[in-house]
Amino acid sequence: MCGIVAYNGVNDALPVIIKGLKRLEYRGYDSAGLVLQNNNGSLDVFKKKGKVADLEKLLGDIRIASTLGIGHTRWATHGKPNDTNAHPHVSGNRRLSLVHNGIIENYAPLKLALQKLGHEFESDTDTEVLIHLIEEVQKRDRLSLIEAVRVALTKVVGAYAIVVMDIRQPDVLVAARKSSPLVIGVGNNEFIIASDATPIIEYTKKVVYLKDDELAVITKNDLQLLSMENQEMPLSIQEIEMELERIEKGGYDYFMMKEIHEQPVTVRDSMLGRVNAAEGWAKLGGMEDHINRIISANRITMVGCGTSWHSALIGEYLIERLARIPVEVEYASEFRYRNPVINNGDIVMAISQSGETADTMAALKSAKEMGAFTYGIVNVVGSSIARLADAGSYIHAGPEIGVASTKAFTGQVSILTILALQLAHRKGTISESRFRELLIEFEQIPEKIKKVLESDQQIRYIAEELKEANNALYLGRGKNFPVALEGALKLKEISYIHAEGYPAAEMKHGPIALIDENMPIILIATNQDAYEKIVSNVQEVKARGGKVIAIVTEGEKTITEIADYAIHIPATADVFSPLLSVIPLQLLSYYVAVLRGCDVDQPRNLAKSVTVE
């Protein structure tokens, strides 16, 4: 949640910050603000409720000659979205300013103590408490900015990524992180600090990933890392592979549509160097050194949130069916709070697009403490989960800017598919001939996704029928049940239509009471097994006046004739069908949202990376 951009260098800070905030707006768009240190030795603060475009309107033609500044785009936690609660926040003496991503959990007692010392607060945020705390520590102990920040953070409970500036040290920025991401771009006599690499890559590909409990002291030509104990830390400069065009819309109206259409490429990229049907092998590099340990595990536990939890459910189906290893799937947000039974040597896999999801990180840390071997499946290189896990795999989907995840989902499912095939082959739970058949079919999935995307106009037409709906029910059996959950989530996220996903066999145990002529039913009906039972589900819905939109395999006739609308997808092996059947659901949710006038890329109340619990 929230996006941070800061600049310290020899160039004009304002355009760098504004452009960076636009690229980070998927992290939060309730309000935006920035502060620049001007030549008069004071702070120029601009804050506005709404999006970065509203901040730009506030700035108008104002141009401030400043080479030092910090900016923020907010996803509200403490305090309503308004101008006052927007970041940056300043100290009572107007000398310090701070931007913050995270939550200060003990802000209330800190605020009370500071008020007793005479501090007055303007906002309802936890962040303003932190800048007043730094001010108090600095004044009381006569400390430099870095020392004041370091001491103040020892009194803080919670998660944070912060950047702080002080008008009395006009060439210095101080940054720190704990459980929230922060990246420092290293340029020529300039540094760009951001929540992720997207604001940085235009200026440099050299970055430093700040670690938990590290502080950075940044001048125009120097970067120093310190521990919370004030010990100098080694500087590890890495090179990012992200290309600038990957974070542009490329002619599409929304990032989400671009990312839907990128899936043939991203699924193929997830296979590169990992699947070879001609030679007859499938392997994840991160898995290879630990394969025996995983094969012999009593069980695998997968943790994730939202879309990642849905991909984990498909992973459960794949691994149990192909490799015959028991799998449990847990909401990461519930995992550590229910005192789970994890034994030494158990396998815990964490799935997260950003690699920064706070609940998933907390679950992973808890599992490690209980002695589990941990494995991360993430998209963002160098992310916290990637560094925390004992081993792992990247999905290589490239930057995903649209808040509603699309290509990251199919990327995650692709990695889980490779993992299941690798385990099954090594364990001998499928024959060599079956293994090779599956590899050949798997390599054809990107081309089959392209074919599904050709249904674009038919799906847009169907969306016209759905746009006025207040509710929708998604049904699927087996591995298509998680696809139903994912389809319902997409519709909820971006069109604000209430939707639920259910196992089709459970329809008669409650949801059937909701069905009438106003309730659209979206049925994923590609199953090769239990086909007759799915036909029965369709007939039960139609008998009650429900409107059926069915996802079926090419050549299917019975459901096609009964349903109001049928979207045909290419035939494939049953285990791969989620990679195809989810595509029409993504397109359907997109077109319904557009027809309802919703902001597809930035749906209300949501942010891309959930870095707070």
Side-chain angles (χ1 to χ4, degrees), residues 407-429:
K407 65 177 181 175
F409 173 77
T410 49
Q412 289 169 349
V413 173
S414 296
I415 293 299
L416 290 166
T417 303
I418 298 168
L419 189 153
L421 288 167
Q422 182 179 5
L423 292 174
H425 188 232
R426 190 67 64 90
K427 195 176 178 185
T429 49

Side-chain angles (χ1 to χ4, degrees), residues 230-269:
N230 205 28
Q231 299 297 310
E232 188 164 355
M233 304 298 289
L235 200 64
S236 174
I237 298 177
Q238 302 180 41
E239 188 155 325
I240 50 177
E241 298 179 0
M242 188 188 304
E243 299 297 332
L244 186 60
E245 58 266 23
R246 298 294 295 272
I247 61 171
E248 303 293 345
K249 288 183 182 176
Y252 289 92
D253 292 334
Y254 290 96
F255 280 108
M256 183 180 177
M257 183 55 102
K258 178 193 175 192
E259 289 156 5
I260 289 171
H261 281 268
E262 284 177 341
Q263 287 174 111
V265 173
T266 56
V267 170
R268 189 176 300 283
D269 286 349

Side-chain angles (χ1 to χ4, degrees), residues 367-414:
K368 284 176 73 76
E369 290 167 1
M370 289 185 278
F373 174 80
T374 58
Y375 198 92
I377 297 175
V378 301
N379 189 31
V380 179
V381 176
S383 57
S384 296
I385 289 174
R387 297 197 303 268
L388 177 64
D390 296 312
S393 300
Y394 291 115
I395 68 175
H396 297 309
E400 187 177 66
I401 307 300
V403 167
S405 184
T406 52
K407 65 177 181 175
F409 173 77
T410 49
Q412 289 169 349
V413 173
S414 296

Side-chain angles (χ1 to χ4, degrees), residues 41 49 52 57 67 147 170 247 252 261 269 276 289 320 399 418 485 496 508 511 514 549 560 582:
K49 177 186 174 182
V52 177
K57 289 178 183 176
T67 58
E147 277 298 297
I247 61 171
Y252 289 92
H261 281 268
D269 286 349
N276 191 311
D289 292 340
E320 289 192 342
I418 298 168
L485 291 171
Y496 318 137
K508 292 188 287 292
L514 299 172
I549 300 163
T560 300
V582 76

Side-chain angles (χ1 to χ4, degrees), residues 113-184:
L114 289 165
Q115 286 173 325
K116 290 179 179 178
L117 293 170
H119 288 259
E120 296 180 359
F121 294 89
E122 299 174 358
S123 77
D124 303 314
T125 68
D126 54 335
T127 302
E128 190 185 9
V129 174
L130 180 54
I131 192 63
H132 277 259
L133 177 61
I134 295 169
E135 175 193 3
E136 180 62 29
V137 169
Q138 188 180 49
K139 178 178 67 175
R140 183 191 66 202
D141 299 330
R142 297 182 180 180
L143 299 176
S144 66
L145 178 61
I146 179 60
E147 277 298 297
V149 171
R150 186 180 66 82
V151 172
L153 290 179
T154 64
K155 304 177 185 300
V156 163
V157 177
Y160 55 79
I162 61 170
V163 183
V164 193
M165 57 195 294
D166 182 346
I167 60 173
R168 291 163 298 182
Q169 293 180 253
D171 63 341
V172 175
L173 290 176
V174 173
R177 70 155 279 176
K178 183 176 183 180
S179 301
S180 289
L182 211 56
V183 185
I184 304 170

